[in-house]
């Protein structure tokens, strides 16, 4: 891994730690209704970040079809 990738992974881990720590503190303080509203947003954010990281570092997904040459009429 390059130094840039390590820094990005560290920053991502720090942000996730802060967000989930904030959620735990809010739940401990009795703000479950707020957590219930924000939980799907936090979950979607994590999924999108992981999908973005995976698409850059993993093999390309899907199958690409080769372009077919145009068929001409025999007129």
């Amino acid at each position: 891994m390059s130094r840039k990738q390590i820094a990005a992974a560290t920053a991502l881990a720090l942000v996730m730690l802060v967000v989930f720590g904030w959620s735990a503190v809010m739940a401990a303080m009795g703000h479950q209704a707020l957590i219930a509203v924000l939980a799907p947003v936090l979950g979607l954010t994590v999924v999108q970040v992981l999908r973005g990281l995976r698409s850059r570092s993993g093999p390309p997904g899907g199958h690409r079809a080769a372009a077919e040459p145009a068929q001409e009429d025999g007129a």
Side-chain angles (χ1 to χ4, degrees):
M1 286 180 81
S2 71
R3 186 180 288 261
K4 187 176 181 180
Q5 288 176 329
I6 293 171
T10 303
L12 176 64
L14 182 62
V15 168
M16 289 178 61
L17 182 67
V18 167
V19 169
F20 290 125
W22 173 81
S23 298
V25 168
M26 294 298 283
M29 291 174 56
H31 295 279
Q32 287 87 4
L34 182 62
I35 299 295
V37 171
L38 294 178
V41 175
L42 295 173
L44 181 60
T45 302
V46 170
V47 168
Q48 288 177 339
V49 167
L50 293 176
R51 187 175 292 161
L53 290 174
R54 193 175 313 143
S55 68
R56 279 186 257 155
S57 62
H63 301 284
R64 294 183 180 219
E68 294 182 19
Q71 295 180 358
E72 297 180 15
D73 291 336

